Amino acid sequence: PHIAILASILCILIYWLIREHQRVRNLSEKHVFITGCDTGLGNSLAKWLDKRGFCVIAACATEKGGQELQSCSSLSLKTVNLNLADSNSIARAVQFVTRETAGKGLFGLVSDAEGTAPAAPTDWLSIEDFHSVLDVSLLGLIEITLKLLPLLKKAEGRVVNPISANGLVAFAGGGYSLSKWGMEAFSDTLRIEMQHFGVKVSIVEHGFFKAQVANSCVIQSNLLRLWNRLTPEIRDSYGEKYFVE
């Protein structure tokens, strides 16, 4: 019995030491940059990290989104406008992050911004429909990550890419699943390459939560818009019954 008790105490002590070693300290000196903070997961994460004491830099697609976030956050949280489909906007955001980190480097990068992504049969879509999501959710993410790598390497930080289940299974046409699969590949490659510099790269394959992308009214509205613009030939090949069902 005494050996069992000692073994249990030893296991608890080892667990505590490992946990303490992994605990992030000096949070007020750690800068985290998050994209897609107008609403959804990015917005919630920015608020949560701000309350924990991190120096949060939140990128919002609109000034209104930034103002609303600042109104319910501490003074240490900073916001910056960011359009991931625009290289000039990305460059300005990177300059802002560089100034805010003031030589300390970037502790964390969380890329949660997403482009508009109509889900529909592939031949209902145009190349512009693919660009509308890939330019933001994949190419924009890659561009801003590349430009922030020097700061991440300086702080031996981490990259966290929320991807959702669409990174595992493609269940609808369009660019949304393409962007998620591309993010998976980019993140997996980056993880291997950044190990040498002490930068960690993680993927979060979350399920659906209450957001525009999973809003049935938005999905139906997009389908109706796409159906109405189809050529008679494509529309007849599917039939009204297909669209209604």
Side-chain angles (χ1 to χ4, degrees), residues 161-207:
N161 288 327
I163 289 179
S164 85
N166 280 276
L168 301 173
V169 180
F171 61 86
Y176 189 73
S177 291
L178 280 176
S179 71
K180 300 305 178 185
W181 285 44
M183 285 171 66
E184 289 262 4
F186 175 71
S187 301
D188 285 343
T189 304
L190 190 66
R191 182 184 304 113
I192 297 169
E193 296 168 346
M194 288 294 109
Q195 284 181 347
H196 175 73
F197 301 100
V199 176
K200 299 182 174 116
V201 180
S202 301
I203 295 170
V204 179
E205 292 165 341
H206 58 79

Side-chain angles (χ1 to χ4, degrees), residues 33 80-99 140 143-145 147-148 151:
F33 180 57
V80 60
N81 289 346
L82 174 62
N83 175 7
L84 281 172
D86 181 357
S87 291
N88 291 327
S89 179
I90 290 174
R92 288 192 293 270
V94 170
Q95 289 175 357
F96 183 85
V97 174
T98 302
R99 289 195 303 270
E143 183 174 355
I144 198 160
T145 302
K147 290 185 175 179
L148 289 173
L151 295 179

Side-chain angles (χ1 to χ4, degrees), residues 1-2 12 50 63 89-90 97 113 117 144 146 149 153 193 230 237:
H2 295 293
I12 293 172
D50 179 53
E63 288 189 13
S89 179
I90 290 174
V97 174
I144 198 160
L146 293 176
L149 279 180
K153 288 160 71 175
E193 296 168 346
L230 291 177
S237 71

Side-chain angles (χ1 to χ4, degrees), residues 106 108-109 148-159 199:
L106 186 62
L109 167 63
L148 289 173
L149 279 180
L151 295 179
L152 288 160
K153 288 160 71 175
K154 184 178 183 63
E156 294 189 357
R158 65 282 321 275
V159 177
V199 176

